[in-house]
């Protein structure tokens, strides 16, 4: 290629991502005389394996770090004698921007500003190529026959495109004010191998490969233009060498396709029935109808699209079929409206030798001149199998279940931290997630009463604030960050009725509507459970009358009734925490969602438990029964009594014991008193 500009040392930001990795691999392959330095923080949509073709070249160096670190960026520019920057690093998924727009501002605007300032300070940059998007133009009229040209007004319509437009303004300002040699690109949609499957084409390919339905936002009439990744990589090669300083270049195609038509073509490739395998879902906020570019300016430099749509789609399909585990567990990305974790630390390691231990790379969170290279915490590094390591964020540190969860994590070697924020304080929850970087969130916090649910009757605002508002806030924050929330709820929202008679063995199922309103506590729990159905990222576990092997714990149901003067005798479903809490951890690992009756199968009465207590613990123990009517005279709020159907949980965990078997194995046998 005839070149008017010849770089020496190129810094490519975000090169472990989709488009930038193809550009990096192309330049490494075609220009062995160029030194290519890669800077990437390796967040959820980056993958070091994308750079496999470049790893063995002597002119390639990988640095793990964040463009928002000014010291690090300055250090790299100086020590590597960088003369050219190709700036790809950005948060790009529109769905994510609606839920966590501050991260887009931080990455796309502030990160770009740090780079520009470093270029100004070092004064050695001869080219700064800023990668933007066609979305900064906003929506194109449906009947427009001429696309947006480079001088068109910028009218972004979502937080993502707004931050990209804001970054462009900074680039333009540094070009004009400080004479920085900047070039900006604005591109159409890109598809091809290695793309993280939150984007439509790889998502549809993976779903179709598994025979699942393809979700279409709205009616599918939205129009998009698609370029194959290798054609786009070639466009950047041309712009690098022939682009004029101070200019903007559209990278686009005149060939447009409706979203519904793309879905139909993918169904056809996999032999699926489009009538049954395409599902229309709720549209995202302000889903632009059309983006259309005028790409003549780039064509004047000698570039043109080479890959026909049919060929590119077939190549892409073949790659995803051959590499199904490239990204590990991507179930969260395949949802109709994904909310992925947009914070650094979720790293996917390259198979084979560790790049970070090679002589041509280093990892840094700050300048190596001030501190030695730092590895990310081990809890945030993925296994060689490609699946992220676990790290739990637990709410309810001072609570019974929350405390036991911490002990289970310690026993299983699962990294965890307790949340510091209050459930009803959204900003504090956001801070917890940013600091901890969890893979799952466990909510064992809530108001159950002091010392019992009667307290809630006279503290209704406090009960609502925590049990309803707090739980919903945590679920919403988790959804924004693409996190599964394991929520410990209660089964005390039912009472025996004509359809579920006492002693019949007919238990309430997960889909049954709550019918117990005898206590304000139960009302709040039933209310929040119904509202949580709107959150697809929540797993609700209905705990009932929890029991553990710690018979000194005053919250233990056995401890309670063994200290009462009188007890009622009525069968109930109950939860043996020693057995079921580890199961809840396994449920998190399996990413199970929805509502689950979290009790051991069957029911057991108060008297049956106390008979076991007498047989195993205290042969001299005695107790007195009284009726429900008599009990009602000494309590403020009514108590729920019911049997719950645990067959759904039993089906998922067939080894689970019945309530009486579990009581003996996990509670009474370990506490059995020996006699002379």
């Amino acid at each position: 290629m005839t070149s008017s500009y010849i770089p020496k040392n190129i810094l490519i930001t975000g090169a472990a991502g989709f488009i930038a990795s193809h550009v990096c691999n192309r330049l490494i392959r075609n220009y062995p005389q160029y030194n290519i330095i890669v800077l990437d923080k390796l967040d959820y949509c980056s993958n070091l394996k994308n750079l496999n073709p470049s790893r063995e070249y002597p002119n390639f160096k990988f640095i793990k770090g964040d463009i928002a670190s000014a010291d690090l960026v300055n250090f790299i520019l100086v020590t590597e004698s960088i003369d050219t920057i190709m700036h790809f690093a950005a948060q790009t998924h529109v769905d994510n921007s609606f839920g966590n727009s501050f991260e887009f501002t931080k990455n796309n605007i502030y990160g770009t500003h740090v780079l520009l300032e470093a270029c100004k300070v070092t004064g050695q940059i001869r080219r700064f190529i800023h990668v933007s998007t066609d979305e900064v133009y906003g929506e194109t009229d449906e009947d427009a026959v001429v696309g947006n040209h480079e001088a068109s007004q910028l009218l972004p319509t979502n937080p993502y495109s707004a931050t990209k437009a804001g970054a462009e303004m900074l680039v333009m300002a540094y070009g004009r004010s400080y004479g920085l040699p900047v070039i900006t690109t604005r591109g159409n949609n890109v598809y091809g191998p290695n793309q993280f499957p939150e984007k439509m084409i790889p998502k549809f390919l993976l779903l179709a490969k598994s025979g699942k339905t393809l979700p279409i936002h709205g009616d599918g009439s939205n129009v998009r233009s698609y370029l194959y990744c290798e054609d786009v990589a070639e466009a950047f090669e041309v712009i690098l060498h022939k682009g004029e300083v101070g200019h903007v270049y559209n990278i686009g195609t005149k060939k447009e396709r409706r979203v519904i038509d793309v879905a139909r073509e993918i169904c056809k490739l996999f032999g699926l029935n489009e009538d049954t395998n395409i599902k229309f879902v709720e549209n995202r906020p302000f889903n632009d109808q059309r983006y259309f570019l005028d790409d003549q300016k780039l064509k004047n430099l000698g570039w043109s699209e080479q890959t026909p749509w049919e060929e590119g789609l077939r190549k892409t399909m073949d790659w995803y079929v051959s590499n199904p585990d490239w990204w590990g567990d991507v179930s969260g990305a395949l949802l109709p409206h994904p909310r992925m974790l947009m914070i650094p630390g979720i790293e996917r390691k390259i198979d084979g030798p560790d790049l970070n231990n090679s002589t041509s790379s280093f990892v840094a969170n700050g300048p190596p001149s001030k501190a030695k290279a730092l590895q990310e915490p081990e809890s945030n590094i993925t296994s060689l199998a490609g699946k992220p390591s676990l790290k739990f964020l637990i709410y309810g540190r001072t609570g019974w279940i929350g405390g036991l969860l911490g002990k289970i994590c310690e026993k299983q070697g699962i990294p965890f931290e307790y949340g510091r924020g209050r459930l009803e304080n959204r900003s504090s929850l956001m801070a917890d997630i940013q600091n901890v970087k969890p893979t799952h969130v466990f909510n064992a916090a809530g108001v159950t009463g002091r010392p019992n649910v009667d307290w809630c009757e006279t503290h209704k605002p406090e009960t609502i604030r925590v049990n309803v508002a707090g739980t919903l806030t945590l679920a919403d924050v988790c959804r924004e960050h693409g996190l599964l929330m394991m929520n410990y709820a209660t089964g005390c929202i039912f009472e025996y009725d004509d359809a579920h008679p006492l002693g019949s063995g007919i238990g309430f199922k997960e889909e049954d509507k709550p019918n117990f309103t005898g206590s304000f506590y139960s009302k709040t729990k039933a209310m929040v459970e119904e509202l949580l159905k709107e959150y697809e990222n929540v797993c609700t576990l209905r705990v009932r009358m929890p029991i553990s092997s710690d018979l000194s714990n005053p919250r233990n149901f056995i401890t309670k009734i063994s200290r009462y003067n009188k007890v009622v005798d009525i069968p109930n479903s109950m939860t043996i925490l020693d057995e079921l809490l580890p199961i809840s951890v396994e449920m998190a690992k399996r990413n199970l969602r929805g509502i689950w009756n979290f009790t051991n199968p069957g029911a057991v009465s108060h008297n049956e438990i106390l008979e076991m207590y007498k047989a195993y613990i205290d042969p001299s123990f005695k107790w007195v029964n009284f009726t429900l009517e008599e009990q009602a005279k000494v309590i403020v709020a009514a108590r729920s009594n019911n049997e719950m159907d645990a067959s759904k949980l039993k089906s998922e965990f067939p080894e689970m014991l019945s309530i009486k078997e579990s009581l003996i194995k996990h509670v009474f046998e370990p506490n059995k008193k020996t006699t002379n």
Side-chain angles (χ1 to χ4, degrees):
M1 178 181 296
T2 302
S3 303
S4 57
Y5 172 70
I6 301 178
K8 292 182 180 179
N9 303 306
I10 305 173
L11 173 65
I12 302 179
T13 69
F18 170 49
I19 300 175
S21 64
H22 285 281
V23 173
C24 177
N25 293 333
R26 184 183 185 91
L27 294 178
I28 286 282
R29 181 176 68 245
N30 292 346
Y31 303 94
Q33 70 274 28
Y34 298 169
N35 292 315
I36 308 293
I37 294 88
V38 169
L39 176 62
D40 199 301
K41 69 178 181 179
L42 296 177
D43 68 359
Y44 78 96
C45 60
S46 302
N47 194 329
L48 280 173
K49 290 191 289 188
N50 292 344
L51 294 169
N52 276 351
S54 298
R55 287 174 57 197
E56 302 305 322
Y57 284 82
N59 58 327
F60 170 81
K61 177 182 285 187
F62 171 78
I63 300 171
K64 181 179 178 182
D66 195 335
I67 59 171
S69 172
D71 287 343
L72 175 61
V73 171
N74 278 278
F75 177 84
I76 294 171
L77 296 191
V78 172
T79 58
E80 301 293 340
S81 300
I82 301 297
D83 56 49
T84 303
I85 293 178
M86 303 181 78
H87 176 36
F88 289 86
Q91 293 291 345
T92 64
H93 192 50
V94 177
D95 269 355
N96 278 339
S97 76
F98 290 117
N100 196 0
S101 54
F102 290 114
E103 280 296 314
F104 281 71
T105 301
K106 177 183 175 183
N107 284 271
N108 299 353
I109 296 181
Y110 179 72
T112 301
H113 199 170
V114 169
L115 282 175
L116 292 167
E117 187 66 17
C119 293
K120 183 194 80 172
V121 170
T122 58
Q124 65 194 43
I125 301 299
R126 298 170 57 215
R127 286 290 188 280
F128 185 101
I129 299 175
H130 175 68
V131 182
S132 190
T133 171
D134 60 353
E135 295 198 34
V136 297
Y137 293 120
E139 195 170 44
T140 306
D141 291 339
E142 290 187 56
D143 57 354
V145 295
V146 178
N148 285 302
H149 55 81
E150 286 81 357
S152 296
Q153 185 179 7
L154 304 190
L155 296 168
T157 58
N158 58 63
Y160 158 61
S161 56
T163 60
K164 294 299 287 185
E168 280 198 34
M169 296 300 101
L170 282 169
V171 171
M172 181 176 66
Y174 271 74
R176 292 181 176 178
S177 297
Y178 305 112
L180 195 66
V182 299
I183 297 172
T184 297
T185 70
R186 299 172 184 151
N188 276 152
N189 287 19
V190 184
Y191 71 102
N194 302 5
Q195 189 172 29
F196 187 74
E198 66 186 357
K199 304 294 187 181
M200 187 187 77
I201 289 178
K203 175 192 290 190
F204 282 5
L205 288 171
L206 287 177
L207 289 171
K209 174 181 173 293
S210 302
K212 297 179 180 177
T213 56
L214 280 53
I216 303 289
H217 292 173
D219 61 5
S221 65
N222 306 74
V223 174
R224 297 291 184 266
S225 301
Y226 300 94
L227 278 172
Y228 189 63
C229 54
E230 285 302 325
D231 290 344
V232 174
E234 183 183 3
F236 279 103
E237 182 183 18
V238 170
I239 291 168
L240 170 64
H241 295 102
K242 295 185 176 181
E244 292 188 55
V245 169
H247 283 241
V248 178
Y249 293 92
N250 288 337
I251 305 175
T253 175
K254 298 281 194 306
K255 299 167 186 175
E256 298 179 290
R257 281 172 173 77
R258 296 188 307 164
V259 169
I260 184 64
D261 293 329
V262 174
R264 287 168 176 164
E265 290 182 69
I266 290 175
C267 283
K268 186 176 180 181
L269 282 175
F270 285 92
L272 301 177
N273 185 337
E274 64 182 61
D275 293 331
T276 57
N277 281 85
I278 291 177
K279 178 178 68 174
F280 295 95
V281 300
E282 180 184 1
N283 210 347
R284 73 188 187 202
F286 205 95
N287 191 359
D288 291 327
Q289 186 64 28
R290 182 191 188 202
Y291 304 121
F292 190 43
L293 294 180
D294 180 346
D295 60 349
Q296 188 57 47
K297 187 174 178 180
L298 179 57
K299 287 182 176 177
N300 291 342
L301 296 184
W303 176 86
S304 62
E305 180 184 3
Q306 299 296 316
T307 309
W309 163 256
E310 294 76 11
E311 177 187 340
L313 189 62
R314 171 65 68 174
K315 286 181 178 179
T316 306
M317 180 194 75
D318 291 343
W319 186 89
Y320 279 95
V321 169
S322 301
N323 297 275
D325 300 320
W326 190 264
W327 291 101
D329 181 8
V330 293
S331 56
L334 300 182
L335 298 172
H337 297 278
R339 296 284 192 273
M340 299 308 294
L341 187 67
M342 300 185 301
I343 48 183
I346 303 302
E347 175 188 340
R348 293 168 174 82
K349 291 177 74 72
I350 288 182
D351 292 332
D354 190 344
L355 242 178
N356 292 334
N357 293 328
S358 72
T359 57
S360 63
S361 66
F362 68 85
V363 182
N365 293 321
S369 58
K370 293 186 178 181
K372 67 179 182 179
L374 299 175
Q375 287 279 6
E376 286 289 326
E378 186 173 344
S379 60
N380 288 334
I381 299 178
T382 59
S383 65
L384 288 174
K387 295 184 178 180
S389 299
L390 298 171
K391 187 171 187 182
F392 293 165
L393 173 60
I394 302 173
Y395 287 92
R397 179 174 194 161
T398 60
W400 184 23
I401 290 178
L404 290 175
L405 279 173
K407 293 179 180 178
I408 291 171
C409 289
E410 290 174 352
K411 185 177 181 180
Q412 295 189 16
I414 300 172
F416 74 98
E417 290 187 36
Y418 284 106
R420 298 182 179 182
R422 299 185 67 84
L423 293 190
E424 60 270 28
N425 187 326
R426 188 181 190 89
S427 60
S428 68
L429 301 182
M430 297 283 285
D432 281 344
I433 289 175
Q434 293 287 354
N435 293 331
V436 177
K437 302 177 180 62
T439 59
H440 299 75
V441 175
F442 286 73
N443 179 30
V447 170
T448 58
R450 307 165 191 166
N452 54 48
V453 295
D454 288 345
W455 180 91
C456 299
E457 301 298 318
T458 54
H459 296 79
K460 293 181 179 179
E462 296 96 321
T463 307
I464 292 173
R465 186 167 61 243
V466 178
N467 289 357
V468 181
T471 302
L472 291 174
T473 300
L474 182 58
D476 197 54
V477 170
C478 288
R479 181 172 66 174
E480 288 183 3
H481 288 80
L483 292 169
L484 173 63
M485 182 178 96
M486 306 297 296
N487 185 54
Y488 295 95
T490 181
C492 295
I493 53 177
F494 299 105
E495 62 180 343
Y496 289 113
D497 60 14
D498 291 342
H500 308 83
L502 189 153
S504 67
I506 302 173
F508 289 89
K509 295 181 179 292
E510 280 79 4
E511 60 270 21
D512 287 334
K513 295 290 185 182
N515 67 345
F516 177 69
T517 58
S519 74
F520 190 75
Y521 162 76
S522 293
K523 288 180 182 178
T524 62
K525 301 299 276 189
M527 178 189 302
V528 76
E529 182 181 289
E530 182 65 26
L531 294 172
L532 283 176
K533 291 178 181 178
E534 302 301 318
Y535 289 85
E536 73 284 349
N537 63 309
V538 174
C539 181
T540 295
L541 306 176
R542 292 171 172 167
V543 177
R544 279 218 80 225
M545 297 183 173
I547 297 171
S548 82
S549 56
D550 180 9
L551 296 182
S552 65
N553 192 313
R555 303 174 191 178
N556 193 330
F557 178 74
I558 295 178
T559 308
K560 288 180 180 179
I561 63 173
S562 66
R563 295 177 181 177
Y564 288 164
N565 292 325
K566 294 182 179 181
V567 297
V568 295
D569 181 31
I570 188 167
N572 274 284
S573 285
M574 301 184 189
T575 302
I576 307 302
L577 296 178
D578 299 70
E579 181 178 13
L580 266 61
L581 279 189
I583 284 179
S584 69
V585 171
E586 179 60 29
M587 294 175 77
K589 295 177 183 178
R590 299 183 188 182
N591 284 314
L592 299 179
R593 298 154 194 262
I595 297 174
W596 298 75
N597 287 339
F598 202 61
T599 62
N600 292 83
V604 63
S605 70
H606 296 59
N607 279 8
E608 287 175 312
I609 290 177
L610 293 177
E611 289 286 358
M612 294 181 193
Y613 185 87
K614 181 174 182 178
Y616 284 89
I617 309 299
D618 183 2
S620 64
F621 181 77
K622 298 179 181 179
W623 68 94
V624 177
N625 287 129
F626 67 155
T627 65
L628 289 174
E629 291 75 18
E630 291 172 322
Q631 181 196 49
K633 296 177 182 179
V634 297
I635 58 176
V636 176
R639 301 297 195 259
S640 161
N641 293 288
N642 65 65
E643 181 174 349
M644 298 171 67
D645 187 330
S647 57
K648 179 180 176 181
L649 190 65
K650 178 73 173 177
S651 177
E652 185 73 25
F653 298 94
E655 70 280 6
M656 184 173 62
L657 298 177
S658 69
I659 182 61
K660 294 178 183 178
E661 292 173 324
S662 191
L663 274 168
I664 293 172
K665 178 178 180 179
H666 294 288
V667 180
F668 289 116
E669 283 288 353
N671 285 287
K672 185 176 182 179
K673 301 295 184 182
T674 58
T675 58
N676 292 327

